[in-house]
Amino acid sequence: MTAVTGSQLVGDPVDRVDGPLKVRGAAPYPSDVRYPGMAYAALVQSTIAAGTISSIDTAEAEAAPGVLAVLTHENIPDLAEAPLTALGSPPRFPLQDDRIVHHGQHVALVVAGTSGQAAAAARLVRIGYQETPAILDIADPDAPVVTNPWGLESERGDVAAGLASADLVCDETFTIAAETNNPLGLFATVARWDGDRLVVHDSTQWPMMERRTLADVFGVPEDDVRVLVPYLGGAFGAGLRTWPHTILTALAARIVNRPVKLVLTRPQMFTSVGHRPETVQRVRLGATREGRLVALDHEGTSTIGTEEANLEPITMGTPSLYACPNVATHDRQVRLNIPNPGPMRAPGTAQGNFAIESALDELSYAVGVDPIELRLRNHAEVQPGSGLPWSSNALRECYLVGADRFGWAERSAEPRSMRDGTELVGYGMAGAAYHWYQTPCRVRISIGRDGTAHVRSAATDLGTGTYTVTTQLAAELLGLDVGRVRVEIGDSDLPPAPQSGGSGLMISLGNAVHDAAATMLQAFLDAVAGDEASPLRGRRPNEVAVHEGRIHLVADPSAGETYAEILARHGLDEITVDGEVQPQPPAGMAPAGAFAAHFVEVRVDEDLGLLRIARVVSAVDGGRILNEKTARSQITGATVMGIGMAMLEETVFDPSGRIANATFGDYLIPVNADVPTLDAVFVGEPDKSTPIGIKGLGEVGIVGVPAAIANAVHHATGRRIRSLPITMDRLL
């Protein structure tokens, strides 16, 4: 079994295997965890954005009913620094000193017998501040600037010469407001200590990282920390760091010697678990009169906390997007007194794509070429820079299939030329790409005498379908019905797995399952290697196949036996094997991530400036599709987030540094009335970089959607909007 071929289950739109548990309300989320004698914690947050704490009076809070402890920087023990992760430096831990660096910073934690008692006592903590002027504006000349923060700036060819020689140059600036991750499930942490062993239930996308972080901070071996998250109520990147409230909860549990639960409030979600940073981008495109790119210069500026780090390169994907001989990219970060940004679906790439694909649309009008044709003329047939062939690339097919499905041919090229009654009608499109990503991963599979398989790994399922597609893949490779495969994930005591983020988990996990399944087959063949009673005696893997829990000869399907028969005859309760993947770029080719083309129809009421999305069609090259239903859900869910980014979402900081709209009553997110018919179609072939041929789908569904909407707005109104969100006032 070197590849998945002739699949019967892989690709089928199987219903989510965890669906029944969820609809019964029986799926255990972190906020559902209960322990006998559990205490509850509530945060106290700063009311200034910059300065120091001059005084703390906790006496009234400590005397309040049920209060067990009030933790501040004045009484907590010293903790070790959290380690670096693959995403960079850990968040700043606020209770180590008296400094305030943003509004809403945690300044105290109250622990009490009930959640109500903790919340009431938290309001009794009196804090005095010595306030200093805060820096809150990305354009503030006093704001510290970090240039090339990740060492990822690049240059190919001679951009200055290319721009000088171009027949046409587009030079524009694009801005995007800060957005906040707003998963349905409030982030929660439950921590308990059993001697020196720490067990934490947490809203994390990366149990292994959190285990290491907590072990380092509290000075215990990693094996003495267990992180559990079998189910997570969404995250969109917010769960990729170990945030201070998690460490505080574990510390509180140690101090009061009881399990402690902390559930963030919705306003606290805005200040505690990151957000998509505000960005300003300058794009300079140089092209011939035929629209062929000769130069591309892309500058990206994003916001960051005053003493924090956030890996979010805006321009990283730009050099590989199009066949342009002269390309330069520049990234910088501006330090502000704001809660630290963090990953939010397609971090960096979603913003960078908006600027590039909007600029390309402008160029298409300048040269009088259809936007699709312009992209086809500049399509990267091989990876720019290296010249290597792609491991797969069906972006051309995405353009053509998507255009046909959308009815792009019906578009009138002239802006403001399409109308339906009082509404202006616009068609817009954008291309999209998201990078290839794979990390080491391990899986353990057991098959028992009952003929069922148990698959275990420390991966997580954010609700994207990891349980389901892992079940399908294991069932296919082991020759079992999906009902005879049980997947266990979300536990750091299981074999190590990477984060669920970056569109890379299923590539890593799936290929580890593939490796384990091949090892399992060999283990059963080894078990019968000297068994004269077995028709499989002495056979090699390429001579057998698996079907319905039975290993049989390829040449004679009637000759074989079941897993259960082999185990029983040899007195074995089960056979357990491990599988792993150590990512290696494919030889002689450039590993390709997912590609897509998004097509949008908008309606704009000319008198009211009211923008409405009428329909969206997304054509996606996702390699081999393991489950069409969950894959389509990934794309359509991300598209909804793209609609929010384009039209609605904006995290507003008032002059004091307070987030002014930190509730669902004030922060606008798409609801059913904002979401039209969403259509997703998959094109392309299995990717050649891995045995199972899949690509990540978590992020390519949002990349390109905001640009396609903005481009459609221009086609409808003749007005070029270069700033998101596109609100009514910008269309009046």
Side-chain angles (χ1 to χ4, degrees):
M1 286 192 296
T2 59
V4 182
T5 58
S7 64
Q8 298 174 4
L9 293 174
V10 173
D12 289 351
V14 172
D15 290 340
R16 293 175 184 263
V17 297
D18 52 336
L21 197 66
K22 289 182 174 179
V23 298
R24 294 199 312 269
Y29 292 90
S31 59
D32 295 324
V33 174
R34 301 284 189 277
Y35 283 114
M38 187 166 69
Y40 295 81
L43 291 164
V44 180
Q45 296 182 290
S46 70
T47 57
I48 65 169
T52 58
I53 297 172
S54 57
S55 63
I56 296 182
D57 183 353
T58 62
E60 191 176 356
E62 290 171 337
V67 170
L68 302 172
V70 179
L71 309 184
T72 72
H73 75 278
E74 295 180 341
N75 63 4
I76 70 166
D78 290 335
L79 299 174
E81 290 188 6
L84 290 171
T85 75
L87 297 182
S89 300
R92 177 180 181 269
F93 191 64
L95 295 193
Q96 294 297 291
D97 54 48
D98 62 357
R99 292 178 300 129
I100 303 298
V101 296
H102 69 83
H103 198 291
Q105 176 181 312
H106 308 331
V107 292
L109 185 79
V110 176
V111 186
T114 70
S115 58
Q117 290 172 337
R123 293 190 289 269
L124 301 177
V125 177
R126 313 301 179 195
I127 300 180
Y129 298 101
Q130 184 68 42
E131 191 170 2
T132 57
I135 299 176
L136 300 168
D137 190 339
I138 193 172
D140 191 324
D142 293 329
V145 176
V146 183
T147 302
N148 193 17
W150 314 285
L152 296 175
E153 291 190 357
S154 65
E155 184 165 4
R156 178 172 74 238
D158 189 332
V159 170
L163 290 171
S165 68
D167 297 322
L168 293 165
V169 174
C170 294
D171 185 348
E172 301 294 350
T173 298
F174 301 86
T175 63
I176 305 175
E179 296 177 77
T180 297
N181 313 46
N182 269 297
L184 180 62
L186 296 170
F187 273 29
T189 304
V190 178
R192 69 178 178 89
W193 290 85
D194 184 6
D196 289 332
R197 180 164 171 78
L198 172 63
V199 177
V200 172
H201 305 259
D202 194 44
S203 302
T204 178
Q205 297 169 239
W206 199 352
M208 300 308 298
M209 175 277 297
E210 184 150 299
R211 182 180 78 163
R212 180 189 168 204
T213 297
L214 293 171
D216 281 14
V217 167
F218 289 101
V220 298
E222 282 192 46
D223 288 346
D224 282 342
V225 178
R226 187 181 188 187
V227 178
L228 293 159
V229 56
Y231 292 93
L232 180 61
F236 317 121
L240 291 174
R241 309 181 83 175
T242 301
W243 296 103
H245 72 268
T246 299
I247 297 173
L248 283 173
T249 306
L251 176 61
R254 174 179 269 185
I255 288 174
V256 302
N257 197 28
R258 289 167 61 172
V260 173
K261 173 187 280 191
L262 171 66
V263 180
L264 296 180
T265 65
R266 182 59 62 182
Q268 288 170 350
M269 291 285 288
F270 280 75
T271 57
S272 304
V273 295
H275 63 274
R276 193 189 301 279
E278 179 185 359
T279 55
V280 177
Q281 300 175 70
R282 182 187 181 192
V283 175
R284 292 186 292 166
L285 294 179
T288 67
R289 290 185 179 85
E290 296 76 28
R292 298 192 183 277
L293 293 174
V294 296
L296 169 55
D297 189 74
H298 187 188
E299 300 176 8
T301 300
S302 59
T303 54
I304 188 74
T306 59
E307 300 178 8
E308 301 272 12
N310 182 39
L311 178 63
E312 188 143 353
I314 307 300
T315 71
M316 185 176 71
T318 300
S320 297
L321 291 176
Y322 292 100
C324 179
N326 306 294
V327 179
T329 64
H330 325 272
D331 272 294
R332 65 177 196 158
Q333 292 180 307
V334 176
R335 294 197 176 279
L336 303 178
N337 290 110
I338 59 173
N340 198 53
M344 184 172 176
R345 203 168 198 161
T349 304
Q351 302 99 299
N353 175 277
F354 168 69
I356 295 296
E357 292 296 314
S358 296
L360 281 175
D361 198 66
E362 295 195 44
L363 179 63
S364 74
Y365 284 92
V367 300
V369 174
D370 182 272
I372 296 176
E373 176 59 29
L374 182 80
R375 287 165 175 80
L376 291 172
R377 290 182 186 182
N378 293 284
H379 178 62
E381 299 292 348
V382 296
Q383 187 189 52
S386 72
L388 292 173
W390 297 102
S391 57
S392 63
N393 187 334
L395 183 54
R396 279 187 177 274
E397 193 175 352
C398 290
Y399 292 139
L400 300 177
V401 170
D404 181 67
R405 198 174 180 99
F406 181 80
W408 185 261
E410 300 171 7
R411 172 183 180 269
S412 172
E414 188 69 22
R416 297 182 62 87
S417 61
M418 297 175 65
R419 183 182 290 272
D420 183 4
T422 62
E423 293 182 319
L424 297 169
V425 178
Y427 287 4
M429 61 81 56
Y434 198 79
H435 56 265
W436 180 87
Y437 180 73
Q438 186 179 8
T439 58
C441 183
R442 292 183 60 192
V443 167
R444 182 164 298 136
I445 299 180
S446 302
I447 294 181
R449 282 199 187 187
D450 60 357
T452 63
H454 184 192
V455 182
R456 288 155 285 178
S457 184
T460 54
D461 190 338
L462 289 75
T464 52
T466 306
Y467 278 107
T468 304
V469 292
T470 304
T471 299
Q472 284 183 267
L473 182 60
E476 175 69 29
L477 293 168
L478 297 170
L480 296 170
D481 181 81
V482 291
R484 301 191 70 78
V485 175
R486 180 168 69 92
V487 172
E488 182 184 359
I489 55 178
D491 182 346
S492 66
D493 277 0
L494 299 176
Q499 70 272 23
S500 182
S503 294
L505 174 63
M506 203 57 215
I507 298 175
S508 300
L509 180 62
N511 283 291
V513 170
H514 182 275
D515 182 65
T519 303
M520 179 67 76
L521 178 60
Q522 185 63 62
F524 271 91
L525 292 179
D526 289 345
V528 300
D531 184 354
E532 295 184 357
S534 175
L536 305 173
R537 178 175 178 266
R539 296 295 184 171
R540 296 185 298 272
N542 63 348
E543 297 178 277
V544 301
V546 290
H547 182 61
E548 294 184 349
R550 182 172 174 270
I551 307 173
H552 64 80
L553 300 184
V554 173
D556 181 8
S558 66
E561 53 186 331
T562 66
Y563 294 124
E565 289 170 341
I566 294 173
L567 291 170
R569 193 167 64 253
H570 290 269
L572 299 172
D573 291 328
E574 65 179 22
I575 288 180
T576 299
V577 301
D578 286 351
E580 66 178 331
V581 60
Q582 293 291 338
Q584 295 180 346
M589 65 181 72
F595 297 95
H598 300 288
F599 297 81
V600 175
E601 177 186 336
V602 302
R603 305 294 181 98
V604 180
D605 187 303
E606 193 171 14
D607 295 326
L608 300 177
L610 182 63
L611 170 63
R612 180 169 60 88
I613 310 297
R615 59 195 176 99
V616 180
V617 173
S618 300
V620 181
D621 168 18
R624 185 187 298 278
I625 302 301
L626 295 180
N627 182 315
E628 288 190 11
K629 184 177 292 187
T630 57
R632 184 168 288 105
S633 179
Q634 283 268 56
I635 299 303
T636 56
T639 300
V640 172
M641 291 186 70
I643 292 172
M645 181 177 179
M647 295 175 51
L648 301 167
E649 297 191 48
E650 180 176 8
T651 303
V652 179
F653 293 87
D654 71 13
S656 73
R658 180 183 69 94
I659 296 178
N661 60 338
T663 71
F664 278 169
D666 300 303
Y667 183 88
L668 301 182
I669 57 175
V671 297
N672 286 347
D674 301 307
V675 179
T677 299
L678 304 180
D679 182 22
V681 58
F682 297 100
V683 303
E685 301 293 335
D687 187 73
K688 295 186 288 293
S689 66
T690 65
I692 60 176
I694 68 172
K695 299 182 181 184
L697 287 174
E699 271 124 330
V700 76
I702 187 175
V703 179
V705 171
I709 292 173
N711 295 340
V713 167
H714 173 262
H715 180 241
T717 66
R719 183 173 299 182
R720 179 65 65 181
I721 307 296
R722 302 185 185 92
S723 183
L724 300 181
I726 305 171
T727 50
M728 293 174 64
D729 56 298
R730 289 176 175 150
L731 294 175
L732 286 173

